[in-house]
Amino acid sequence: RFGDTKNCLENCLEICKVAFDENHANIIPNLMNYGNVLRSMGDLTRARTAYQRAIVIHRLNFKEEGQQSRLLKECEGAVEDLTDEIDDDSSFMSKVSSSYMPCSSHSDSCSTDSYQSEIELIQKQITVADIESKGTPVIVFTDIGRDVDDEMALVLLSSLKRKHLLNPIAVITTLSPQEDRANLARGSLDTVCMADVPVGIGGRGGVADGVELEVYEADHAMSSPSICNSGIGLACQALESVPPKSSQIVCLASLSDLALLIEEHEDLFTSKVKEVVIMGGVMPLDSGDTLTPDTAYNNNCDLPSARFVYNKCQELEVPTATLSRWAAYGCPIRPKLMDELAKTKHMVAANVRRVSRGGLERLWNKVVRPPDDPGREKLPARCDARWFYKTFCGTDRVPEVLPPSIWTRVEKLNMYDPLAVLICVPSYRELHFRCRTKTVGGVSHAVVGTSESDTGVRDRMSLYREYSQLFVDALQGALHEPEMPQGSEKEPDILVEETNKIRNARNRAA
């Protein structure tokens, strides 16, 4: 976590004050590391100051073209880059104090102190989006903590960020308890080298007052003063930072917060967003003149908001791309992948493997309940024991005596949200998915997966290898390990094994 590293380096610098003379050369590496961490966290001015001090100490100890000149050039380059970034940000930041409204229209009024602190927090975290070098700006709405695919979506996002394909500029957590979800999102982002991505707290996501749904435990989930209390305010300022029609909004959760953003800031939304990507589902494309959301879980959390978002996007001529559950069914993973990812020893991978088993057990305990049982929460009625066996166990034959524990029967897992992130990249969308489109008002709206027979996945084995490798790259990259784990260099053994299992199952079915 960059936050932890920052504290450690500050302690190191304090020790240096005692152990060395004021301008001792041994202080230089600590200052450079400190500047790098501050820059990663978005604190550009302090980062530049750290590098500037390193330059002064270097010149007092070494000749400019002599020993350790490489370090001097590295520091000078960092100062130059940071100065450019600070200058680029200054014009944008001047707008923040005049335009930012930290409280949405339905919230209580904010105090002057909290208003100012929110402004200062966003000033540190939001920078002008650089599309050419960093990729497409993306704002993510997530209910992380419900199941592992939200967190795995962030892992995959970090891999795409490293490739400069996507540039996450804000992550908003929704679904009560949204504050706990923000803590998990902040920790998860920090562990995969995305400490510079700001996190904001959204709304209840359609959950009634007084009701809080589960958030799984994780050692890396911690409260942080860097989390913005107003997710909508953060989203607005993130959109202000991007060029016209350049940003994508990715909804991996209830559409409540996006509906509020569109309702309260319609002009900003229309001018800045080029596409809305939704993990959800729509009614059959030939069922009407427009796209209509179906009863997918994310839609069902707040169906009026889902309908509002789809209607408004079509009315405002903002394209949408919907990835349905059928696409996830078209490219399942096996529990074996979780085991292999955990071998990286990354804390997120280890926790995801633990939670996956617990999550499936909890889902099983819900689907076996009667349709009107409140213990099912928002789970659609179609999700019963037969559905579970067909979805996760590779058969629609449900035993007469239901097992108390289901994990040993599981043959496959579905990763919904990582696929939704993947289709944000045009090259991946074209390579791995078949999109059906519906044109409304001259604007095409894409749908990936319209039925069990039309999953929208071109080649499940190719797609499986693609996103599995992206997971591995992200986790290994976050740990700064120079080598891939054994069997992962070009064609990971695990992926070959899993591909063969999928192929054999297909041949048996044929």
Side-chain angles (χ1 to χ4, degrees), residues 279-425:
M279 175 58 236
V282 295
M283 299 297 287
L285 299 184
D286 57 1
S287 62
D289 295 332
T290 60
L291 281 182
T292 304
D294 63 9
T295 59
Y297 178 83
N298 288 342
N299 294 335
N300 215 35
C301 286
D302 187 349
L303 195 52
S305 289
R307 289 169 177 159
F308 176 85
V309 168
Y310 274 96
N311 289 338
K312 271 297 186 180
C313 285
Q314 292 170 92
E315 174 190 327
L316 299 172
E317 299 182 351
V318 175
T320 63
T322 302
L323 185 129
S324 77
R325 64 184 182 276
W326 302 115
Y329 298 167
C331 187
I333 68 169
R334 295 180 182 272
K336 178 76 171 176
L337 177 60
M338 296 297 184
D339 298 333
E340 292 298 320
L341 293 178
K343 290 180 182 178
T344 64
K345 302 187 185 302
H346 194 287
M347 62 194 309
V348 168
N351 196 58
V352 161
R353 180 180 59 173
R354 177 188 67 82
V355 173
S356 293
R357 176 168 183 166
L360 275 177
E361 296 286 4
R362 287 192 297 273
L363 178 60
W364 171 248
N365 290 331
K366 291 176 186 177
V367 302
V368 296
R369 295 171 182 265
D372 58 349
D373 191 314
R376 291 176 61 89
E377 297 178 356
K378 295 282 188 177
L379 201 63
R382 59 179 168 76
C383 298
D384 55 13
R386 183 175 180 275
W387 164 85
F388 188 99
Y389 262 77
K390 187 174 183 179
T391 303
F392 299 105
C393 304
T395 178
D396 57 2
R397 295 180 181 178
V398 181
E400 293 184 7
V401 179
L402 299 179
S405 175
I406 200 66
W407 181 252
T408 57
R409 308 288 182 93
V410 172
E411 291 283 332
K412 53 186 180 179
L413 302 171
N414 295 314
M415 282 288 177
Y416 303 86
D417 296 338
L419 297 182
V421 171
L422 200 60
I423 69 169
C424 291
V425 181

Side-chain angles (χ1 to χ4, degrees), residues 37-340:
V37 168
L38 290 172
R39 185 177 186 179
S40 298
M41 298 179 72
D43 199 342
L44 304 183
T45 301
R46 291 178 65 198
R48 181 173 63 178
T49 300
Y51 281 111
Q52 287 172 333
R53 187 181 171 215
I55 291 172
V56 170
I57 295 175
H58 190 284
R59 287 173 175 164
L60 291 173
N61 287 275
F62 305 106
K63 294 180 179 179
E64 202 156 312
E65 296 298 329
Q67 188 179 9
Q68 301 295 333
S69 60
R70 177 184 58 82
L71 295 181
L72 177 62
K73 292 178 181 178
E74 185 177 335
C75 290
E76 289 174 338
V79 169
E80 184 177 344
D81 291 342
L82 284 163
T83 299
D84 290 341
E85 291 181 39
I86 292 169
D87 290 343
D88 289 341
D89 291 345
S90 60
S91 60
F92 163 66
M93 287 307 167
S94 66
K95 302 177 183 178
V96 172
S97 58
S98 61
S99 65
Y100 172 52
M101 296 299 293
C103 299
S104 59
S105 59
H106 58 76
S107 303
D108 296 333
S109 60
C110 295
S111 67
T112 302
D113 290 343
S114 64
Y115 174 87
Q116 187 60 35
S117 65
E118 280 287 287
I119 290 175
E120 293 173 354
L121 181 58
I122 289 184
Q123 284 178 331
K124 286 184 178 181
Q125 299 192 73
I126 297 291
T127 58
V128 176
D130 182 353
I131 295 176
E132 289 187 5
S133 64
K134 295 185 177 181
T136 301
V138 173
I139 297 174
V140 179
F141 289 89
T142 174
D143 57 2
I144 187 172
R146 282 282 284 172
D147 43 45
V148 300
D149 63 335
D150 284 83
E151 191 160 18
M152 292 305 291
L154 296 184
V155 172
L156 187 138
L157 181 61
S158 73
S159 194
L160 299 178
K161 183 175 186 286
R162 285 174 177 274
K163 295 176 180 293
H164 306 287
L165 296 172
L166 295 181
N167 175 25
I169 54 176
V171 171
I172 316 298
T173 60
T174 181
L175 202 69
S176 176
Q178 58 271 42
E179 295 86 357
D180 293 343
R181 300 187 195 283
N183 295 339
L184 177 57
R186 179 69 278 155
S188 183
L189 291 169
D190 288 355
T191 65
V192 291
C193 298
M194 293 199 292
D196 57 331
V197 179
V199 173
I201 300 172
R204 300 185 61 82
V207 177
D209 291 342
V211 176
E212 292 190 347
L213 305 181
E214 73 266 18
V215 179
Y216 60 71
E217 294 182 357
D219 289 340
H220 51 279
M222 300 180 186
S223 60
S224 170
S226 69
I227 296 174
C228 298
N229 290 323
S230 171
I232 296 298
L234 176 62
C236 287
Q237 293 306 316
L239 288 176
E240 289 280 9
S241 72
V242 305
K245 289 295 183 183
S246 65
S247 177
Q248 288 173 306
I249 291 182
V250 184
C251 292
L252 309 177
S254 161
L255 300 184
S256 300
D257 288 83
L258 179 55
L260 182 63
L261 175 65
I262 297 173
E263 182 179 12
E264 295 190 346
H265 306 278
E266 183 178 303
D267 290 343
L268 179 63
F269 171 80
T270 306
S271 64
K272 299 289 188 173
V273 176
K274 70 174 184 179
E275 184 180 54
V276 174
V277 177
I278 300 171
M279 175 58 236
V282 295
M283 299 297 287
L285 299 184
D286 57 1
S287 62
D289 295 332
T290 60
L291 281 182
T292 304
D294 63 9
T295 59
Y297 178 83
N298 288 342
N299 294 335
N300 215 35
C301 286
D302 187 349
L303 195 52
S305 289
R307 289 169 177 159
F308 176 85
V309 168
Y310 274 96
N311 289 338
K312 271 297 186 180
C313 285
Q314 292 170 92
E315 174 190 327
L316 299 172
E317 299 182 351
V318 175
T320 63
T322 302
L323 185 129
S324 77
R325 64 184 182 276
W326 302 115
Y329 298 167
C331 187
I333 68 169
R334 295 180 182 272
K336 178 76 171 176
L337 177 60
M338 296 297 184
D339 298 333
E340 292 298 320

